[in-house]
Amino acid sequence: MTPDPTRELPKSWDPAEHESRLYQGWVDAGYFTADASSDKPPFSIVIPPPNVNGSLHMGHAYEHVLMDALSRRRRMQGYEVLWLPGMDHAAIAMQTMVERKLAAEGLTRDDLGREAFIERVWVEKAEIGDNIGTQMRRLGDGVDWSRERFTMDDGLSRAVQTVFKQMYDDGLIYRAERLVNWSPVLKTAISDIEVSYADVEGELVSFRYGSLDDSEPHIVVATTRLETMLGDTAIAVHPEDERYAHLIGTELAHPFVDRLIPVIADDYVDPEFGSGAVKITPAHDPNDFAIGQRHDLPMPTIMDDEARIADTGTQFDGMDRFEARAKVREALAEQGRIVKEVRPYLHSVGHSERTGEPIEPRLSMQWWVKVESLAKAAGDAVRHGDTVIHPASMEPRWFGWVDNMYDWCISRQLWWGHRIPIWYGPDGEIVCAGPDDEIPEGYLQETDVLDTWFSSGLWPFSTLGWPDKTDDLATFYPTSVLVTGYDILFFWVARMMMFGTYVAPQFGEDGSGGDKKVPFHNLFLHGLVRDEHGRKMSKSKGNGIDPLDWVERFGADALRFTLARGANPGSDISVGEDHAQSSRNFATKLFNATKFAMMNGAVVPGAGELPDRAALTEADRWILDRLDEVLADADAGYEAYEFSKACEALYHFAWDEVCDWYLELAKVQYAENDEARSQSTSLVLGTVLDALLRLLHPVMPFVTEVLWTALTGKESVVVADWPRRGDATADPEAAQHIGDLQRLITEVRRFRSDQGLKPGQRVEAEIDGLDVAGLAPSRAYLDSLARLEPAGESFAATATIDVRLSSATVTVRIDTSGTVDVEAERKRLAKDLAAAEKELSGTTAKLGNEQFLSKAPDHVVAKIRDRQQVATEEVERLGAALNALSGS
């Protein structure tokens, strides 16, 4: 096939000139729009919805690159692909952002009222616009924009109300007073994922309950949150602790509250830690809450929703918790009850990730999901193979969570979000209303909204139209794979699995769920993106990388290839600018190689146009066989979600074999001035580049689109067929001969470099052993790539190189007279040899020192062993080079 002359390549590769135009062209052509009525096998992915008020960070970019690579490859393999985009309403994040803007205007949400505040949030959402969508387009995300969803759009709101009512009617949703993570700034319960822990310097205060007389009943307890003693309702000791056996069952007076504190026995207490006695504040500590439930203790809440002391009947009421902490200490000291104070005392404290203040464990009336049966179904789905986790090593973590899950707090004291569909009647009636139910007159709706994870947990099926029976749901559900980070395995993935298995009986006539038992068939868990030093990226460290900055500087393909090249299931990835620059260089290398090939007439053969293999050179047969092998390696990597293996195989094939070797060998074949040889070379070169560009397209879509369309003259590589292995039998003899040729050329080049010969300088040479090695037909390649010429009449060998190949030794005698200053070169080599011998001696001495080996870290010893190996090789190489010089 002759390439379309109107599709000439530009002079150089500049990503900025092409990316936006190409992407919009793909969207306009409908390449990413899925057809639910297609008879192709379906492949579907739903995007983990980013927060609507956010922007894509490097972790998002990483995830999107992997999803896009999977989707693009499946599309090329003939699947009907749906990659569904959307965003999360991000209840806490969005409400916090709007409240901050209101504060700058001197207003609060209460000043506006609920309805006006929610209207303001919708306005802010509209003003944010399509920020994330714009970023996704810059990355090259091949999503179906016609199906974009939002967790608070009408369809998803209907799904939320439907599943809430179903679960409420099934007894899986209930209201109860339980301990939660409380944010005093947001004045709401927050989930565990919204709590970040940091070590802080506090104080550990030991104080005394009971008599101040050592001869009378008393117990010493310690705490870092002294204000919580106002809510103490017991002191716990271990049942076998003889020190306190006589006090178990007795009561001690509270210093400030008119309450007697019982001494109870509980196995939770560690008798070896501290005094062996623990104060119990059931309403403000999770462990104490559990003990309180076991012993049926009173659970007074001593703080209001802003963490101010309340309803204790003491002088501390109205104080902020931190002010109260100091005042309680002073009051206890006045009574002589302080036994010991440790300052500073470093301990871990949970903070609200959104607002930064320490969270307060607080007993609060909330709505909960009873998770026992749901979690079991989520675990069984993996146990039975309905959903497969990649890597399998993550399965124990999965089972550890779902098999030990606590009931889920789903209510939040916010205004922005899905308002809980519970209605209260004037006489205490409670009604749960579905989306189509009529609300009785005079009923008031619950003020709390649902945890964001509730709506995002429905994402795989709600985005496809559930609870309605839609074509999308029939075709694309369950989704093929979920791509997400292992860090939200519990918070999001577990929720989706619970909801997916819960609604499964609604699919299929027999209530078994049929082929829709789970929300996704495969779960691919990737790791975190870290900086080049392996540190987690964060604003505080200043080591975060804006992916769009890399797109601007290096191009989207460079960003994508950098991320994909480091991706393996469950493993973290470290990236830095050097990696991005390397990937940018790779894109440029591909561009230059393809441009060279096209300038020399490279074309993609049609059916039957590639010459019979017997008519091809060994170099041609070798590169075609290597293409088949690399295709198999890439396929295996993609199928196992081992993107790194696929990318490494393609990178080294493209750079090391196609560009560094085959293109150079092809130049020799073109120089033969044999029309048939030139034509076959062009066809082989076209075949290899055609397949290589298609193989790289999933991770480098832009440069491959420009190159492939120019090379083939076809519409778009986006909709091209995925390459398939050829049907020819591999030629191991060709592979052996080309491998030997590469070794021979490499050794001659190394010798030339050692001797200081200029790269383009040709020297005369006599060569023995090519016939025995099977390389006689390759003499033209050797002369061209090693810059050699046949020996003339005045030839006088000044150096000899013996190269051991797979079946013979080839001897190359070279005449370097007049090309180098032999004496100066001998001095240079001798100096380098002395330095290498010194390094070898030093490393050998260290490795022979038993005392050093016993104390040095393993990585230090390994590094010295590597240095010793390099030094050994240098001594051998430089010694051989000296011996090769004339007169040595």
Side-chain angles (χ1 to χ4, degrees), residues 868-888:
Q868 183 192 45
Q869 178 62 32
V870 171
T872 299
E873 294 172 356
E874 280 295 280
V875 168
E876 292 177 356
R877 182 182 68 82
L878 293 167
L882 269 172
N883 290 333
L885 283 177
S886 174
S888 60

Side-chain angles (χ1 to χ4, degrees), residues 253-265:
H254 194 287
F256 306 118
V257 182
D258 185 16
R259 183 166 62 237
L260 292 175
I261 307 298
V263 180
I264 61 175

Side-chain angles (χ1 to χ4, degrees), residues 410-486:
I410 57 171
S411 49
R412 298 291 182 266
Q413 290 64 55
L414 303 170
W415 287 356
W416 172 248
H418 291 281
R419 196 165 174 179
I420 292 177
I422 291 288
W423 299 76
Y424 301 103
D427 298 318
E429 303 95 335
I430 298 179
V431 172
C432 180
D436 300 320
D437 293 341
E438 187 173 335
I439 309 302
E441 188 175 348
Y443 277 55
L444 298 176
Q445 188 173 3
E446 168 67 64
T447 57
D448 289 353
V449 301
L450 286 166
D451 177 15
T452 299
W453 297 106
F454 193 97
S455 54
S456 62
L458 311 180
W459 190 250
F461 52 90
S462 64
T463 54
L464 297 174
W466 188 92
D468 297 327
K469 294 181 179 179
T470 65
D471 291 341
D472 278 0
L473 201 61
T475 301
F476 296 113
Y477 186 79
T479 57
S480 305
V481 58
L482 176 74
V483 179
T484 191
Y486 64 68

Side-chain angles (χ1 to χ4, degrees), residues 157-324:
S157 294
R158 176 179 172 81
V160 167
Q161 294 172 43
T162 300
V163 83
F164 186 99
K165 179 169 174 54
Q166 290 177 356
M167 296 177 75
Y168 181 86
D169 291 346
D170 287 344
L172 294 175
I173 290 180
Y174 63 95
R175 193 171 186 237
E177 195 173 37
R178 297 279 182 84
L179 209 67
V180 296
N181 299 314
W182 188 264
S183 166
V185 172
L186 297 170
K187 293 189 284 188
T188 181
I190 60 177
S191 68
D192 289 343
I193 200 173
E194 290 154 338
V195 178
S196 57
Y197 287 85
D199 288 339
V200 299
E201 289 187 353
E203 59 180 358
L204 180 66
V205 179
S206 299
F207 68 96
R208 186 173 183 138
Y209 268 115
S211 176
L212 297 178
D213 186 341
D214 288 348
S215 65
E216 296 180 1
H218 67 277
I219 293 181
V220 174
V221 294
T223 181
T224 58
R225 299 162 62 219
L226 199 53
E227 71 282 3
T228 63
M229 64 87 62
L230 297 171
D232 286 356
T233 58
I235 298 169
V237 297
H238 194 276
E240 297 178 3
D241 192 334
E242 295 180 357
R243 294 172 296 175
Y244 302 114
H246 65 293
L247 291 176
I248 296 174
T250 65
E251 295 178 323
L252 302 174
H254 194 287
F256 306 118
V257 182
D258 185 16
R259 183 166 62 237
L260 292 175
I261 307 298
V263 180
I264 61 175
D266 195 282
D267 290 333
Y268 165 77
V269 181
D270 180 1
E272 303 297 323
F273 184 78
S275 67
V278 179
K279 61 184 284 298
I280 304 301
T281 318
H284 293 279
D285 182 273
N287 295 317
D288 294 2
F289 177 73
I291 292 175
Q293 285 186 312
R294 287 197 293 272
H295 295 270
D296 197 23
L297 297 175
M299 300 185 180
T301 299
I302 64 165
M303 297 183 201
D304 63 16
D305 59 6
E306 294 182 286
R308 304 182 75 85
I309 305 301
D311 301 326
T312 67
T314 68
Q315 68 267 36
F316 309 109
D317 282 355
M319 293 182 184
D320 174 79
R321 54 182 164 160
F322 301 114
E323 179 188 1

